[in-house]
Amino acid sequence: MKVLVIGKGGREHALAWKLSLSPRAKAVFCAPGNPGTASIGTNVPIASDDIKGLVEFAKAENIGLTVVGPEDSLALGVVDAFKKEGLRIFGPSKMAARLESSKAFAKAVMHDANVPTADFKICDHPDQAKTWIATRRYPLVVKADGLAAGKGVIVCSTQEEALKAVERIMVKEEFGRAAGRQVVLEKRMAGQELSLLSIVSGRTIIPLEPCQDHKAIFDNDLGPNTGGMGAYCPAPLGTKEILDQIDTEVLVPTVHAMKRRRMPFHGILYAGIMVTSQGPRVLEFNCRMGDPETQPLMMRLKTDLLDLLDAAVDNRLDEFEGKIDWDPRPAVCVILAAKGYPGTIEKNSPITGLHEASKLKDVQVFHAGTRFDSRNIVTDGGRVLGVTALGDDMVAARAKAYEAVNLIKFNGMQYRTDIGLKALSPLPFPTKDSSIDEDVDLKM
Ligand code: GLY
C-alpha cells in the first residue's frame, strides 16, 4: 500500500518513520515533509492547507491510506474532501475536529457530557470578558476560541494579566480575527499535565500509553509556553487508577456526546489532562497526534502502525483492543529549538552532528524545522529537531537522549535539560500552584 502523511514537523517524521517500517508500506510520501521524511520516503511539495492539491495527489498516486498530522488540515475539512472522493484517510471530519478548532465548542461538549474540567465562561465581547474577570478572585487561563498555532492559551496569575490577555486576543487580534472572536475564560487548575492520546473508531476507544509534555521553554517549567520542548513515555503520573478514571469520565462520555451530536469522532482524541489533587480534569482536546508526544510513542510502539490505522479506518479497531504491543522501555524526546524560540527565531544556521547522533543505538533524530541548503541541513523553524531515545529505565533513556543531543550543534541551539526528570520524582501534590485551592470557589 502507498501511504501519505500530511505535515512537515517532528510528529510527521516519527509517523512516516514508523509507517515505513511496515512490510505492507510499498511507499511513504510526505506532504510537504522535511529532510527527515525525505530520508525514509518521498516528499511532495504540497502544503498541508492545500486540500485540493492533496486530494489530487492521493488520487493520481493511488494512495491507500492518508494520515493527517496537523490540526489546520483537519479544521479545513481534509478528511471530508478525501472521503468525498472515496479516498481512505485517518482523522476526524471538519465538524468533529471542532473539539480542537473551537475551545468554546469543546467546553460545550464537556459541559453536556459532564466531563470534569475547570469552571469556565465563554465571552464574545471584550467588555463581557473584562467584567467577568473583575469579579473573580482566583488565577485564570484565557483562551482564544480558535486555532492559534498553540499560542492562544494564556496562563495568568493576576487579574491584570487576564485583562491584558483579553486585550491581546479580542482587541488587538494577535492570534487572528477568527481565533479571537470568542474567548474561553477558565479557572486555573493546579497539578501536573498528562497527555493521553486515544485511537477512536466507532464505539472503540484505544488509549495509547500516557505521555508527559513540557510546554515551557526553560527548565523547571519557567518562561513562556512553546509547542512543547520535550516529552517522555510512559508517564508514571498516568497510574491505572487515573487512566481508568479518564476512560470512564472523559473519553467514553465525550465520544458518546459527539455521536449524539451526529458528528461521530474518528481519529486521534488527544486529551490534555491536568491531574489535580481531586482527580483528572480536561484542559483541552486535540484531534490529532501530539508533537512531541508522537516521537516517544512511535519509538515504543511495536504493533504495525499501518495495520492499526487501517483497522481504525475500516471500523474494525476492536480487533486491536488489549493487543497493542509496546516496547517496555521508556522513551525520552528532547527538542532542540532555534535561537529566539518561542519568539522571533533565527533561521539558516548549519546543523552539525546529525549523522553521529543518529548512529547511536536506540536513538532517532526526528526532523522538524530543518531544510536542505545545497549539501547542508540548516535550521528553518522554531522547533528544529526531536532527539529521541529508548533506555532500560528513565535514567538510561535520559542519558542516551542527552548523549545524542551533545553531538548536535547549531548556532543559538536551546533545549531543556530536565526532560523526563518528573518521571523520577513522586507525585507533585502540593504543587508550586498549591495556593490555588480546588475546593473553594472565590467568586465575589
Ligand atoms: N504537545 C502539544 C500539542 O501537540 O499540542
Side-chain angles (χ1 to χ4, degrees):
M1 183 191 289
K2 290 184 183 176
V3 183
L4 170 65
V5 176
I6 299 176
K8 62 176 184 179
R11 163 184 55 204
E12 287 77 15
H13 184 185
L15 289 169
W17 169 72
K18 193 71 203 167
L19 288 164
S20 74
L21 299 179
S22 169
R24 293 175 55 228
K26 194 168 108 190
V28 177
F29 296 92
C30 204
N34 60 39
T37 58
S39 70
I40 42 132
T42 307
N43 286 351
V44 284
I46 306 172
S48 58
D49 60 358
D50 178 1
I51 307 300
K52 192 162 166 276
L54 292 165
V55 168
E56 277 166 13
F57 174 79
K59 274 166 81 177
E61 274 296 334
N62 199 18
I63 297 291
L65 178 70
T66 297
V67 181
V68 189
E71 59 275 19
D72 59 349
S73 315
L74 296 169
L76 287 168
V78 70
V79 170
D80 312 65
F82 269 60
K83 285 195 171 161
K84 203 167 149 205
E85 296 294 330
L87 294 162
R88 298 175 75 253
I89 185 163
F90 176 70
S93 66
K94 179 175 178 167
M95 290 297 277
R98 289 183 68 219
L99 268 182
E100 176 167 3
S101 64
S102 168
K103 301 225 180 298
F105 174 79
K107 280 290 195 184
V109 172
M110 284 187 249
H111 186 256
D112 290 354
N114 212 13
V115 168
T117 186
D119 288 351
F120 67 98
K121 171 88 178 163
I122 297 167
C123 299
D124 52 19
H125 193 282
D127 289 345
Q128 183 195 16
K130 286 174 185 173
T131 305
W132 195 82
I133 289 168
T135 56
R136 305 301 106 176
R137 280 192 289 137
Y138 45 72
L140 293 168
V141 179
V142 181
K143 299 176 170 180
D145 173 52
L147 293 178
K151 294 179 191 151
V153 174
I154 304 176
V155 180
C156 308
S157 298
T158 62
Q159 264 187 2
E160 203 176 27
E161 280 176 27
L163 294 171
K164 268 191 198 143
V166 168
E167 193 75 10
R168 287 180 62 195
I169 295 170
M170 300 192 94
V171 181
K172 295 187 186 148
E173 297 176 344
E174 276 183 34
F175 308 104
R177 175 165 291 188
R181 213 166 275 146
Q182 286 189 313
V183 284
V184 175
L185 307 173
E186 66 178 42
K187 189 173 178 179
R188 186 169 138 193
M189 293 181 286
Q192 253 201 57
E193 287 188 37
L194 184 73
S195 304
L196 189 66
L197 284 65
S198 304
I199 306 182
V200 180
S201 174
R203 303 173 72 89
T204 311
I205 304 169
I206 301 188
L208 304 179
E209 293 267 280
C211 301
Q212 192 165 46
D213 188 10
H214 298 68
K215 297 246 167 58
I217 183 77
F218 301 128
D219 282 3
N220 301 314
D221 297 329
L222 297 175
N225 269 1
T226 68
M229 289 299 289
Y232 63 86
C233 172
L237 182 63
T239 58
K240 183 173 176 336
E241 190 194 350
I242 292 284
L243 296 180
D244 286 348
Q245 233 179 316
I246 296 173
D247 191 50
T248 52
E249 294 177 13
V250 176
L251 303 176
V252 172
T254 301
V255 169
H256 285 178
M258 294 299 282
K259 205 165 178 201
R260 280 199 303 277
R261 286 177 180 245
R262 296 185 196 285
M263 39 183 91
F265 193 91
H266 293 267
I268 296 289
L269 182 59
Y270 164 159
I273 300 284
M274 184 68 91
V275 180
T276 73
S277 53
Q278 324 275 298
R281 305 278 185 268
V282 176
L283 287 168
E284 63 178 7
F285 285 122
N286 296 319
C287 295
R288 33 87 196 165
M289 294 291 286
D291 192 341
E293 291 93 330
T294 303
Q295 291 83 318
L297 276 168
M298 291 303 108
M299 289 289 276
R300 295 194 56 231
L301 182 68
K302 288 172 95 174
T303 300
D304 186 313
L305 181 64
L306 182 50
D307 288 347
L308 189 57
L309 300 186
D310 233 8
V313 169
D314 292 342
N315 279 320
R316 46 178 185 82
L317 185 62
D318 54 336
E319 289 173 13
F320 282 89
E321 257 173 326
K323 293 198 188 121
I324 297 196
D325 202 9
W326 296 97
D327 192 320
R329 295 174 298 167
V332 171
C333 170
V334 180
I335 295 293
L336 306 186
K339 186 175 179 178
Y341 183 72
T344 309
I345 55 159
E346 182 178 291
K347 292 188 180 180
N348 304 317
S349 300
I351 305 170
T352 60
L354 286 171
H355 184 61
E356 292 77 1
S358 30
K359 272 200 314 209
L360 293 178
K361 190 168 177 291
D362 294 326
V363 168
Q364 291 293 327
V365 180
F366 294 117
H367 287 239
T370 65
R371 70 174 178 86
F372 288 115
D373 176 29
S374 55
R375 295 210 337 257
N376 290 323
I377 292 183
V378 299
T379 62
D380 192 42
R383 291 190 291 174
V384 177
L385 298 161
V387 181
T388 314
L390 288 163
D392 285 340
D393 56 21
M394 191 54 76
V395 173
R398 268 178 48 78
K400 187 59 103 177
Y402 283 105
E403 183 188 343
V405 165
N406 286 332
L407 295 170
I408 299 173
K409 301 216 167 1
F410 57 84
N411 189 43
M413 177 171 115
Q414 45 170 346
Y415 60 90
R416 281 180 61 156
T417 64
D418 63 349
I419 307 299
L421 277 187
K422 280 189 196 136
L424 301 172
S425 33
L427 287 190
F429 300 121
T431 69
K432 66 174 176 151
D433 282 331
S434 59
S435 58
I436 308 166
D437 189 330
E438 292 283 320
D439 283 331
V440 182
D441 189 347
L442 294 170
K443 271 178 285 203
M444 291 201 293

